[in-house]
Amino acid sequence: MATSSVSKGCFVIKPKDSRKRKLPNAADYFNNGKAVSENDKLRFSTYQSLWQQMKEETERLQEHLNEKIFDSLISFIKKSCIQMNSDVNDWSYRMRYSEIPTAALVLGVNVPDHEMTLQGLSSLLKQSVTPHIVFLQGKECTTVKQILQKILMQLIGGNGSDEEKEEDLHHSFEFHQRKMNCSMVSLCRWYNAITKRPHFKIESLESTFGHLEGGKVSPSAVCIHPVFALNSTTKSPTKKKKSLLQHKEVHPIVIIFKDLESFVPKVLQDFVVIASNHVQRLPMVLVFGIATSPITIHQMLPHSVSSLLCIELFQSLSCTDHLATVIDKLVLTTKFPFKLSGKVLQILNNVFLFHNLSTKNFVKGFQLSLLEHFSSQPLSLLCCDLDEASARIQNLNHDDCELIRHLQSFMDYVDRQDAKKQVELLTNDQNLKTVTETLLSSLHVYHKNYFPVLKCLHILASSLPKYPLGRQIRELYITCLESNIWELEDYTSAFQLLGMMAKDELVCLLQKCIEVLQASEHESLTQAIKTLEDFLAKFQKLDDVFVENVEGTEEHKARSQYSLQKKTDLYQLQKTLMEMKELKRSRKPSRFEILRMNVLEFMDKLARQYLLPPETQPLHELVYFKISGELRRHLNAAPRAALQIALSNPYSYLKNEALKSEEGTITNVAPDICIIYKLHLECGRLINLYDWLQAFATVVCAAEGKDPDKDNGQVDGVLYARFIRAVSELEFLGFIKPTKQKTDHVARLTWGGF
C-alpha cells in the first residue's frame, strides 16, 4: 500500500529516439488523391527548388539589413569587456567600478521577427566574440532563482538557443541542483573553471545567497565589494588587476533578454543589483530586446538600479523598410518566375499592416501562396527558368496540351488569330508547343520591361504631396495589377502635380529614372534611356538661355511695377490689371514648360505601353497565383465561425460517414460536446441544467440502445460525468456562463449558428 497513490509512483521519462521519424511524402499532396505521376513529382521538385532559392535570398537579405546594427553591437561588446592584454583601456574609464555594459536593442513592435534577429546576432557573437550566449524570456523567469537556473543550464549546455539540448539537460541539471547552488557564486566558479582563471574565495557570498527564496533577495545582503572577496594573499586591487592583465583574451557572458517588457520589474532589479557586484570577476554584457521604447528601461528600473548599467542604444531597421526591401527582392524581380496577383498581394499587405507588422509572417504567407499555386495548378511545372521551361514544353503529353487550350488567357489569344491558325492551335500539339514556348518568352520580356517602368513611375509619384499613387511601391504595384492605372483619377491628378514641378526637382527625378532603367539592362528600354538622356541635355542648355534672358525679364518686371505704383484712379488701375491678366493668358509657354510637358508625355507613354495588367498576357495563369479566397481562409482565421461549424457539423472535420445528418437534426453518435451544443441552440437566454441533462441522456441512450426511463429518471453516473465535462468545455469556449439569476441555470452567450 506504500505506492497506492498514483501521484507517488508515476513519472514521465521521455525516451531518446535516435531514429528519424519517417515523414509522409509531400508529393502526395499534389495529386489530389490520385496516383503520383511524373508531373506531380516534377511540380513538387520545382516548388522545392524555387522556395529554396527564395529562402536563401531572404536569409542573405536579412543578414545584409542587420549587418550595420550587428557590427555596432559586436563592437560595443568587444570594447565593453576589459581587454586583458593592455595596460590602459579608454573604455574602462567610461564605466564605474560596478557598471554592467548594457545594449538597449530597440527591435520594434514586430515581435515575431525578434527571434530571427536575435538568433542572427547570437550566431555572429559565437563566431567572433564569445561562445557563452544566454537567452532569457519573461514567462520563464518570474524569480531571480529561475533566472540563475536558466543561465547556468544554458551555459552548461553550451548552446542557449538549442531548445532540444536544453530540454535534454534539464533532467540532469535538476539531478545536480542540490549539489550545486544556483547562485552567482556558482556561475563565477564555473566561469573560472572554463577559462582557467584564478579562483577567489567568496564563501561569504555563498552563505549570503541562502537568503534567496522564491525570488526574494535582499540586495544589501549580496552587495559585497570585490576587494573583500579576494584571497588573503592578495594585498590590493591594483595587484589583482595586474595579475588579470596577464590574460590575453576574455570571453564575456552575453545575456540576452528577448522581451524586456514581459519581465517582472522587481525580479529584474534584484538581478541587476546582484550581477553588478560580480561584474569585475565575471565579465557580463546584457542585451535588452525592447519592442516599444527605450524609456521602458527607466520605467522598470529606478535610478538606483539603472545607474548600475552602462547603457548604449541601438535602433534596428523599421519593419516597413524591411518589407519594402523584401518585396523588391522577391516580388519586383525577374529572378523568380512566380508572381502574385493584386488581390493576393493585397491580402498579405493587409495582414502585415493590420495584424503583426512581421516580415517573417509575410514571407510565410508568400511561401503558402507558392505552395498553393504548385498544388492547384497542374501546369505550374512550367513556372521555372525560361531555358528549363522550353525543355519541359517539348515533353508535354496530349492531356497537358488540352489543359493549356482550356486556359482563359490562351482562349482569348486564339480568338484574336485568323481561322487557319486557330485550327492549328486547337488540333496540332506540336504547333501548340511552339506557340507556348513563344508566349512564355514574351511573358518573360513583359516582366523585364514591367518592373523598371513601375519603379520609374514610383520615383515620380512618391515625391508628390499627399501621395496620390501611394507612398510605398507595393501600393502602386497592387493598383497596376488590378486595372489600367492611366484610367484612374489619381493618375491624372498625379501628372497634373508633376506639371507644376520645378526644374531642379524634375532633373533629379529623371536622373534616378535613368539609373533604374540602366540597371535593368534590357534592350527594349535602350531607346527610352536615350530619350531621357536627351531631355537631361536640353534641361542643361536651358540654364544658358535663362542667363541671357534674365536682364530683359527684370526690365519688364520693373516697367510693370512702375506702372502700378504711379498715381492713378480706380478705373485706370482696373484697366491695367486686366491688361496684365490678358497678357499673361496669351503668353506663350516658356521653353522649360514645353520641355517639362514633353517629359511627362513620354513617361505617360511608357506607362501605357509597359504597365498593362497581367490578365492581358497569354499564359499568365502559369506563373500568377490568383486564388485569394484560399489564402484568406488560411491567414485570416475566424475562430468563432470555425468552432460553430465544427460543433454543428462535426463531419466537416472528422470525415466520419456516421456523423452525416440533415440540417436541424441531432446525430446521436456525435461527440458529447456537439450534442450539448445543438441542444443549447434550442433554448432561450437561460438554460435549465436539469432539463439539459435529461435531453442529453435521451439522445445518448438512443445511440447506445438503452431506455432512458428505465431507472425512473435517474441518470447514470458515467453519463452525468460526460454531461458535466461537455458543459465545462462549452463554457470554456465561451458559449455559456454561470448566472446569479437562477442557481440551476446557465446563461447563453451566443445566438444562432452556422
Side-chain angles (χ1 to χ4, degrees):
M1 297 300 292
T3 57
S4 59
S5 176
V6 176
S7 62
K8 292 181 180 179
C10 182
F11 302 94
V12 177
I13 301 176
K14 296 182 179 180
K16 293 183 178 180
D17 189 4
S18 59
R19 298 174 300 176
K20 293 183 178 179
R21 290 179 296 175
K22 185 178 180 181
L23 299 176
N25 188 7
D28 296 339
Y29 296 103
F30 281 60
N31 59 359
N32 295 326
K34 302 177 182 178
V36 179
S37 63
E38 292 298 326
N39 282 354
D40 296 332
K41 296 179 181 178
L42 186 59
R43 275 193 293 150
F44 180 68
S45 62
T46 306
Y47 156 74
Q48 283 184 316
S49 175
L50 189 57
W51 170 243
Q52 186 63 29
Q53 296 176 22
M54 292 181 174
K55 183 180 179 181
E56 292 175 357
E57 181 70 21
T58 306
E59 291 174 353
R60 286 195 297 267
L61 178 63
Q62 179 73 21
E63 294 177 359
H64 176 70
L65 292 176
N66 293 328
E67 182 178 1
K68 185 176 181 180
I69 187 174
F70 283 173
D71 291 343
S72 302
L73 270 168
I74 292 174
S75 176
F76 167 77
I77 294 173
K78 286 182 177 180
K79 289 190 300 181
S80 61
C81 297
I82 302 175
Q83 300 297 324
M84 297 302 176
N85 58 351
S86 61
D87 295 335
V88 179
N89 192 309
D90 295 336
W91 179 256
S92 62
Y93 294 130
R94 291 181 54 189
M95 302 184 339
R96 290 186 298 176
Y97 195 70
S98 59
E99 283 185 341
I100 305 175
T102 304
L105 180 57
V106 182
L107 298 172
V109 295
N110 50 329
V111 179
D113 294 344
H114 294 183
E115 182 71 22
M116 182 171 53
T117 304
L118 294 177
Q119 289 296 340
L121 174 62
S122 174
S123 300
L124 289 177
L125 288 175
K126 289 179 181 178
Q127 294 174 7
S128 58
V129 182
T130 175
H132 311 311
I133 310 294
V134 177
F135 284 94
L136 298 179
Q137 286 184 330
K139 63 180 181 180
E140 299 175 350
C141 303
T142 57
T143 63
V144 179
K145 187 174 182 179
Q146 288 181 347
I147 292 180
L148 295 173
Q149 285 178 351
K150 285 290 180 182
I151 293 175
L152 283 168
M153 186 164 56
Q154 294 187 27
L155 290 177
I156 291 174
N159 188 358
S161 62
D162 193 349
E163 295 181 358
E164 293 182 358
K165 183 177 288 187
E166 181 180 345
E167 185 177 354
D168 294 337
L169 289 167
H170 185 72
H171 299 291
S172 62
F173 183 80
E174 286 183 346
F175 180 77
H176 296 287
Q177 191 172 356
R178 294 182 179 179
K179 297 182 179 180
M180 182 179 63
N181 185 18
C182 293
S183 65
M184 197 65 70
V185 177
S186 302
L187 186 58
C188 291
R189 288 175 176 171
W190 171 87
Y191 185 78
N192 293 332
I194 292 296
T195 58
K196 297 181 180 180
R197 298 180 63 190
H199 180 65
F200 305 110
K201 282 184 72 174
I202 38 181
E203 289 89 349
S204 58
L205 281 180
E206 187 174 3
S207 60
T208 304
F209 206 83
H211 295 284
L212 178 61
E213 184 67 25
K216 298 180 180 180
V217 62
S218 175
S220 60
V222 293
C223 290
I224 299 178
H225 200 276
V227 173
F228 300 102
L230 296 176
N231 198 337
S232 59
T233 58
T234 305
K235 296 182 179 180
S236 65
T238 306
K239 292 186 177 181
K240 173 195 170 185
K241 184 175 181 181
K242 289 182 179 179
S243 64
L244 290 178
L245 288 174
Q246 297 175 359
H247 297 272
K248 295 184 178 180
E249 189 177 4
V250 173
H251 295 295
I253 297 176
V254 180
I255 303 176
I256 301 176
F257 295 79
K258 290 185 177 181
D259 44 357
L260 183 67
E261 290 85 352
S262 63
F263 279 82
V264 180
K266 185 63 172 62
V267 174
L268 188 62
Q269 294 169 22
D270 293 342
F271 174 76
V272 171
V273 171
I274 296 172
S276 66
N277 290 278
H278 297 79
V279 69
Q280 296 301 322
R281 292 186 298 275
L282 186 66
M284 285 183 295
V285 179
L286 306 183
V287 178
F288 289 159
I290 303 173
T292 53
S293 173
I295 198 66
T296 304
I297 299 177
H298 300 285
Q299 292 176 349
M300 298 180 66
L301 304 178
H303 181 267
S304 59
V305 179
S306 62
S307 60
L308 301 176
L309 304 176
C310 181
I311 304 175
E312 187 164 336
L313 182 64
F314 298 90
Q315 180 72 50
S316 65
L317 188 69
S318 66
C319 55
T320 53
D321 294 339
H322 194 175
L323 178 66
T325 310
V326 169
I327 289 180
D328 182 64
K329 297 299 182 181
L330 292 185
V331 180
L332 304 178
T333 179
T334 56
K335 184 177 180 179
F336 307 112
F338 175 72
K339 304 298 174 188
L340 300 175
S341 66
K343 291 184 178 179
V344 172
L345 187 57
Q346 184 67 57
I347 291 174
L348 295 179
N349 186 46
N350 291 341
V351 171
F352 173 84
L353 293 176
F354 304 126
H355 289 80
N356 47 41
L357 293 174
S358 172
T359 308
K360 178 181 177 181
N361 289 345
F362 180 88
V363 174
K364 287 184 177 180
F366 191 87
Q367 181 188 7
L368 177 61
S369 304
L370 179 68
L371 180 61
E372 287 290 339
H373 175 71
F374 277 88
S375 176
S376 60
Q377 176 56 264
L379 295 172
S380 58
L381 57 94
L382 301 179
C383 183
C384 55
D385 294 336
L386 193 59
D387 297 336
E388 190 175 358
S390 300
R392 293 182 180 183
I393 289 174
Q394 301 303 323
N395 296 327
L396 295 178
N397 54 33
H398 178 71
D399 295 336
D400 298 330
C401 293
E402 288 298 323
L403 290 176
I404 294 177
R405 293 187 178 103
H406 285 84
L407 293 176
Q408 183 62 44
S409 61
F410 187 80
M411 294 171 63
D412 296 338
Y413 171 78
V414 172
D415 292 340
R416 295 193 296 267
Q417 309 302 317
D418 53 33
K420 183 178 179 181
K421 195 169 184 179
Q422 287 181 359
V423 173
E424 287 290 328
L425 291 174
L426 297 177
T427 57
N428 191 342
D429 289 348
Q430 187 60 39
N431 184 37
L432 175 68
K433 294 178 182 179
T434 305
V435 174
T436 301
E437 186 175 351
T438 304
L439 293 178
L440 279 181
S441 178
S442 301
L443 186 61
H444 180 73
V445 174
Y446 163 77
H447 289 135
K448 280 279 190 180
N449 298 329
Y450 188 97
F451 296 122
V453 176
L454 177 72
K455 294 177 181 178
C456 290
L457 182 60
H458 172 67
I459 289 173
L460 296 175
S462 61
S463 61
L464 299 176
K466 297 184 179 181
Y467 308 103
L469 293 180
R471 187 171 186 175
Q472 301 290 337
I473 191 172
R474 62 177 181 268
E475 302 172 15
L476 177 61
Y477 182 48
I478 292 172
T479 305
C480 293
L481 288 175
E482 294 180 344
S483 61
N484 295 326
I485 190 172
W486 55 85
E487 297 177 355
L488 303 178
E489 295 182 1
D490 292 337
Y491 180 85
T492 305
S493 62
F495 271 80
Q496 288 177 353
L497 292 174
L498 289 172
M500 296 182 287
M501 186 169 289
K503 182 176 73 68
D504 295 339
E505 296 177 351
L506 188 59
V507 168
C508 182
L509 296 179
L510 287 181
Q511 290 175 347
K512 293 181 180 179
C513 291
I514 291 175
E515 293 175 0
V516 169
L517 295 178
Q518 288 176 345
S520 65
E521 298 180 355
H522 198 259
E523 298 178 356
S524 58
L525 297 176
T526 305
Q527 185 60 38
I529 296 174
K530 187 181 296 185
T531 304
L532 291 179
E533 290 177 346
D534 293 340
F535 283 132
L536 278 180
K538 292 179 181 179
F539 276 119
Q540 296 297 332
K541 293 180 180 179
L542 286 179
D543 295 337
D544 301 333
V545 177
F546 176 77
V547 172
E548 295 177 359
N549 296 337
V550 66
E551 297 180 358
T553 305
E554 292 295 336
E555 183 180 354
H556 176 72
K557 288 183 178 180
R559 190 182 304 111
S560 302
Q561 190 72 14
Y562 174 75
S563 61
L564 288 175
Q565 290 179 355
K566 68 180 182 178
K567 188 176 181 180
T568 181
D569 55 5
L570 182 61
Y571 174 75
Q572 290 294 334
L573 179 61
Q574 184 179 6
K575 183 179 179 181
T576 304
L577 292 175
M578 291 295 294
E579 290 176 355
M580 293 175 61
K581 186 176 180 181
E582 288 294 333
L583 181 63
K584 185 177 181 180
R585 183 180 301 175
S586 60
R587 181 180 64 86
K588 295 181 179 180
S590 63
R591 295 181 59 184
F592 165 68
E593 293 174 346
I594 294 175
L595 189 56
R596 181 176 58 189
M597 189 183 305
N598 293 337
V599 170
L600 296 181
E601 288 179 355
F602 178 74
M603 297 304 298
D604 177 61
K605 180 181 177 182
L606 283 180
R608 293 173 183 267
Q609 181 180 357
Y610 294 113
L611 296 184
L612 296 170
E615 285 75 11
T616 60
Q617 306 300 314
L619 303 183
H620 70 274
E621 294 93 341
L622 303 184
V623 298
Y624 278 88
F625 176 66
K626 304 172 63 177
I627 310 177
S628 58
E630 189 69 18
L631 187 67
R632 186 183 291 107
R633 185 176 67 85
H634 287 294
L635 298 182
N636 294 345
R640 179 176 178 270
L643 282 174
Q644 291 184 324
I645 291 175
L647 294 176
S648 60
N649 184 20
Y651 173 77
S652 60
Y653 287 90
L654 301 179
K655 303 301 180 183
N656 187 349
E657 296 295 332
L659 297 177
K660 284 187 176 181
S661 61
E662 298 180 359
E663 186 176 358
T665 60
I666 301 177
T667 308
N668 50 18
V669 295
D672 293 344
I673 188 173
C674 297
I675 298 174
I676 289 292
Y677 173 78
K678 286 195 172 184
L679 289 174
H680 109 287
L681 291 178
E682 301 176 356
C683 303
R685 190 178 68 87
L686 295 178
I687 306 175
N688 190 303
L689 287 173
Y690 180 78
D691 296 340
W692 203 4
L693 173 62
Q694 293 298 326
F696 173 74
T698 302
V699 175
V700 173
C701 290
E704 298 175 355
K706 299 179 181 179
D707 186 7
D709 299 330
K710 181 178 179 181
D711 298 330
N712 298 323
Q714 295 294 327
V715 179
D716 180 52
V718 175
L719 194 61
Y720 182 74
R722 290 168 57 184
F723 172 77
I724 293 299
R725 183 181 63 179
V727 170
S728 300
E729 291 175 350
L730 207 63
E731 180 183 358
F732 176 76
L733 294 176
F735 289 95
I736 59 174
K737 72 171 184 178
T739 178
K740 294 182 180 180
Q741 295 182 5
K742 294 183 179 181
T743 56
D744 57 343
H745 285 64
V746 292
R748 181 178 173 185
L749 299 178
T750 60
W751 298 96
F754 286 82

